[in-house]
Amino acid sequence: MHTVQTINKILVRSNFIDVDFNNNIYIGFNYYEMPFRGYRVLKTSDLGMTWQTLIDFSVPGASGWYPQINDMLVAGTDLTNLRVFLGLSGPGNGGPQVLGAIKIFDGNTGTELPNSIILGDFMTFGVRDIALCSDYRHPLSSSNPYSA
């Protein structure tokens, strides 16, 4: 779902919603709050009565890479392997191309895990879109415990 709305002077756009194996709901969105832009992922375990900020990343307007969520996937078969995968892309001051990344976070704590994937190099090739999928609901026999 791609919408634009304003919440408490924060411009919110590109909402992403997913549900984990335990029926917890995750909402990811891109935002602009002068002078910062970034993305957040919120989690609720009580059908939206309360929300926990799981992931929050922002950069000031004139610095570095400006990543935005292109896709979000929540996957896992139990609490030990619950992950939030974010497909990110955005321009930056490193060159004319759009850089992309797939970042992986612990689905319970929001801690970024070290096995991110960088796509593009700012100069010779870039990323237009990122789509994520997983077989965690019906894993392949070669997946342990699942693949994304």
Side-chain angles (χ1 to χ4, degrees):
M1 171 177 19
H2 296 281
T3 60
V4 176
Q5 57 191 356
T6 303
I7 301 173
N8 297 331
K9 298 183 181 178
I10 299 173
L11 180 65
V12 175
R13 60 185 181 80
S14 300
N15 300 311
F16 300 87
I17 300 173
D18 208 345
V19 178
D20 72 12
F21 71 95
N22 213 15
N23 293 323
N24 295 314
I25 302 168
Y26 296 74
I27 294 180
F29 58 90
N30 301 312
Y31 69 89
Y32 178 71
E33 181 180 20
M34 185 68 166
F36 297 95
R37 61 180 80 190
Y39 57 85
R40 280 190 190 129
V41 176
L42 307 177
K43 174 183 176 180
T44 182
S45 56
D46 57 10
L47 299 174
M49 298 296 288
T50 58
W51 291 89
Q52 168 194 357
T53 299
L54 197 63
I55 301 164
D56 189 1
F57 175 86
S58 67
V59 293
S63 65
W65 181 42
Y66 311 114
Q68 298 283 277
I69 300 173
N70 271 26
D71 200 3
M72 180 180 82
L73 170 70
V74 178
T77 57
D78 60 44
L79 293 177
T80 63
N81 62 36
L82 182 61
R83 302 290 181 260
V84 176
F85 297 84
L86 294 181
L88 304 167
S89 68
N93 58 12
Q97 299 293 337
V98 171
L99 186 70
I102 298 172
K103 293 199 173 207
I104 305 167
F105 300 85
D106 182 293
N108 297 300
T109 65
T111 304
E112 185 176 349
L113 301 175
N115 44 357
S116 296
I117 301 168
I118 302 299
L119 308 165
D121 65 0
F122 278 135
M123 297 307 288
T124 56
F125 71 98
V127 175
R128 185 162 183 91
D129 196 9
I130 297 173
L132 301 170
C133 65
S134 175
D135 67 351
Y136 81 94
R137 293 182 194 264
H138 303 284
L140 297 170
S141 59
S142 59
S143 298
N144 184 19
Y146 62 90
S147 60

